[in-house]
DNA sequence: CTGAAAGCGCTAACAT
DNA sequence: ATGTTAGCGCTTTCAG
């Protein structure tokens, strides 16, 4: 018992005893057992996080934000990858909950009812991250992808663009990309417009797919002055296609994406994008959850924290 | 006791009883407690993984490989980010070991002595991933970065390149990039050559930094026919710089990187790169560790699994 | 096929 | 300042 106290730096241990304990611990290469600690104390330092993918840099960046936001708090993030599969996500969450995490962070807020029930039942802070379009279970940190699509369409229309193409990927699984497209289309419709051409890829977004689909669209028609992409990876491929085909961009055709990736801003052609603060969202989620589990709920004023992506490169 | 058996599908439970247990579990929204399970059974399903960064897509891809390789095994990966900081890595490892993981995967094999001692003391399979240049603690899956640098230099020399520049980032912390550079330089030296110009960035690699450093190098001298970069992110920035400056690449100046990123292969200019099988390395590490902890060590023939990166785009 | 006993390594609460 | 007791929720082992 005294050793236990000394090891975790409790107050009521004589300096002398503490020294001895620490010394022996060092000598024996003692490593505490968190399983026992957590089981006994009925609390863990685990934060479960579920992301849809690791192949798109935005999720790792978000994880880095969470990890950084948690640093120093003693909390430890545990990650699971759902591959954009709701059934897989449910199993991952079930599995993670069995570790009795202090909180859980999931991507988006389109979980099916059973997953929602599981999450509610866990009786821990739940944060739904990235998206804002839907009904949150508990906390919600993100941006409205529908609105992001709308705003981009408005900005492009204001800049005089009229003939739009759309290029996307796995639109059935990447729900947030779908919401952006829907928002974009809504604004187009309100101006009596529609996409001139649409091309999709069954697989997930990548620069190569963006380029390939762009090449095929541009081979079919040049009657375009803007192409909206599901994200910046795809858009980067579009920029490459323009460069290769000698299409002057943005003059002739403006490439528009979403995320504000590092690579997009360095591109030799200017592209339009909405900058999503994914790292910051992760940090904010971490801060929120720290506040929530510190018991002092009083300092939490809002359960929903909304970000607005900044649009750049339109003109 | 019977419930415990029924829940984990043990054989010796009557069908009838099992049904009843499962039904009640469902009704009560029962979620098992892994803390208790692991404490009691003296084993966990956790695999600790430490990576240096989440901002470079290669590490998330490696994690995705590990995660995929573990799927179905019941094992769960837990990730920590060291920010290329050996002291931080040590603390993360210490922390992770307190969860009594079944195995641990760390990036590279340049851990300081104290970390090595901790790892050895843990008495679990240790896999050092990505690099091969050094003395492994236990298992080692990766490629020789020194050799990768050498081979790239040889290939470039064979293709007739002679006047080389080097552009890198955080070379003091990214040891593997340093090994590639050292290998490259060694081969240059053997041909009586050396880098004409070198530029470094204190921060980590990014397309933007690659572009910036390339612009400044190309403003200082054009007496180059090849620039070797610390990796493909930086090299992509170099390709962008060439495009913007109207330098014909690869004809005039060839851009050479490392990793074989998706974006690099779609670039409108051909760049040279070594394709590192990072996802596959993750999968192999997972398979290895599964074999190692299944107790059946007999099926493990090699403790060191070496990959050879394929060089592309040199000519 | 089911149950009872003991214990995993730790901490909370209560002595001393 | 240190020690004692009980128990976290499960599994392992041994009995029935």
């Amino acid at each position: 018992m005294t050793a236990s106290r000394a090891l975790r730096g409790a107050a009521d241990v004589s300096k002398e005893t503490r020294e001895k304990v620490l010394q022996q611990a060092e000598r024996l290469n003692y490593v505490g057992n968190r399983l026992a600690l957590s089981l006994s104390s009925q609390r863990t330092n685990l934060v479960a996080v579920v992301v849809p993918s690791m192949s798109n840099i935005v999720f790792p960046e978000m994880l880095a934000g969470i990890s950084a936001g948690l640093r120093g708090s003693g909390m430890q993030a545990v990650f699971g990858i759902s591959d954009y599969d709701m059934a897989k996500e449910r199993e991952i969450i079930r599995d993670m909950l069995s570790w009795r995490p202090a909180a859980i962070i999931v991507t988006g807020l389109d979980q099916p009812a059973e997953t929602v029930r599981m999450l509610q039942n866990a009786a821990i802070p739940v944060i739904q991250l990235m998206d804002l379009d839907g009904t949150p279970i508990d906390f919600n940190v993100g941006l409205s992808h529908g609105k992001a699509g709308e705003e981009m369409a408005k900005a492009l229309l204001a800049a005089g663009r009229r003939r739009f193409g759309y290029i996307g990927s796995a639109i059935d699984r990447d729900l947030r990309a779908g919401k952006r497209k829907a928002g974009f289309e809504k604004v187009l419709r309100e101006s009596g417009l529609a996409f001139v051409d649409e091309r999709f890829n069954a697989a997930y977004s990548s620069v190569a797919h963006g380029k390939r689909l762009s090449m095929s669209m541009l081979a079919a028609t040049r009657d375009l002055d803007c192409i909206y992409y599901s994200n910046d990876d795809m858009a980067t491929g579009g920029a490459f296609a323009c460069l290769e085909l000698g299409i002057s961009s943005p003059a002739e055709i403006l490439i528009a994406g979403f995320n504000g990736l590092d690579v997009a801003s360095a591109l030799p052609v200017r592209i339009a994008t909405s900058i999503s603060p994914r790292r910051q969202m992760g940090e904010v989620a971490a801060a929120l959850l720290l506040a929530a589990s510190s018991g002092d709920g009083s300092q939490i004023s809002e359960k929903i924290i909304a970000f607005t992506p900044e649009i750049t490169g339109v003109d």
Side-chain angles (χ1 to χ4, degrees), chain A:
Chain A
M1 205 42 236
T2 299
S4 168
R5 278 193 269 253
L7 255 2
R8 61 196 142 108
D12 291 353
V13 181
S14 77
K15 199 162 184 171
E16 194 174 79
T17 315
R18 161 172 293 128
E19 287 295 304
K20 270 196 286 190
V21 170
L22 260 38
Q23 202 174 308
Q24 288 303 310
E26 175 71 15
R27 195 179 64 78
L28 298 165
N29 287 305
Y30 173 82
V31 178
N33 187 330
R34 267 229 138 74
L35 297 165
L37 191 166
S38 295
L39 180 61
S40 168
S41 64
Q42 303 280 64
R43 64 195 154 71
T44 65
N45 65 344
L46 256 25
V47 176
V49 186
V50 187
V51 294
S53 156
M54 279 295 202
S55 310
N56 185 331
I57 191 70
V58 303
F59 300 110
E61 284 179 349
M62 187 184 93
L63 293 179
I66 294 172
S67 193
L70 252 28
R71 186 150 299 148
S73 71
M75 291 282 189
Q76 161 79 39
V78 183
F79 310 132
I81 307 168
S82 73
D83 285 325
Y84 286 100
D85 181 332
M86 289 300 188
K88 205 177 269 183
E89 183 187 53
R90 188 192 58 224
E91 291 319 307
I92 290 172
I93 291 175
R94 187 196 302 287
D95 203 74
M96 288 188 148
L97 288 179
S98 73
W99 282 102
R100 297 289 187 273
I104 183 163
I105 299 176
V106 297
T107 308
L109 56 193
D110 297 291
Q111 285 75 23
E114 193 188 338
T115 305
V116 170
R117 200 163 47 77
M118 238 166 57
L119 253 14
Q120 285 169 330
N121 240 289
I124 55 175
V126 174
I127 300 187
Q128 287 165 298
L129 205 53
M130 301 232 101
D131 198 0
L132 223 54
D133 303 326
T135 311
I137 296 172
D138 190 2
F139 294 100
N140 188 195
V141 176
L143 58 91
S144 165
H145 289 262
K147 192 134 184 299
E150 290 177 29
E151 294 303 320
M152 179 56 90
K154 284 183 198 165
L156 293 169
L157 286 172
R161 306 287 167 169
R162 288 295 176 276
R163 301 185 311 285
F164 298 93
Y166 180 83
I167 290 181
S169 53
I171 208 85
D172 53 321
R173 311 189 94 195
D174 185 345
L175 301 176
R176 284 170 293 286
K179 289 174 180 179
R180 293 194 292 273
K181 177 170 188 276
F184 196 100
E185 281 181 306
K186 178 172 161 256
V187 170
L188 287 194
R189 254 197 321 277
E190 288 167 2
S191 299
L193 295 171
F195 284 124
V196 174
D197 193 355
E198 298 189 356
R199 313 233 159 191
F200 299 94
N201 186 36
Y204 294 109
S205 66
S206 77
V207 176
H209 286 134
K211 184 178 179 182
R212 189 176 49 72
L213 291 174
S214 301
M215 295 296 265
S216 85
M217 180 180 286
L218 292 168
T221 176
R222 291 285 176 100
D223 189 26
L224 298 165
D225 59 16
C226 183
I227 305 178
Y228 189 46
Y229 290 81
S230 53
N231 65 29
D232 276 4
D233 296 88
M234 299 293 282
T236 297
F240 290 173
C242 287
L243 283 167
E244 230 169 83
L245 295 172
I247 295 174
S248 86
S249 178
E252 196 177 337
I253 297 180
L254 174 61
I255 300 298
F258 177 84
N259 266 332
L261 295 191
D262 166 51
V263 62
S265 65
L267 238 27
V269 309
R270 190 195 82 215
I271 75 169
T273 194
S274 312
I275 303 173
S276 72
R278 58 262 175 208
R279 185 185 168 93
Q280 203 190 340
M281 290 192 285
E283 287 171 354
V284 166
L288 200 56
L289 145 191
L290 251 23
S293 46
S294 77
D296 186 8
S298 65
Q299 54 187 297
I300 302 171
S301 47
E302 296 292 341
K303 289 213 139 193
I304 299 181
I305 297 181
F307 285 88
T308 305
E310 186 196 347
I311 292 179
T312 62
V314 170
D315 51 26

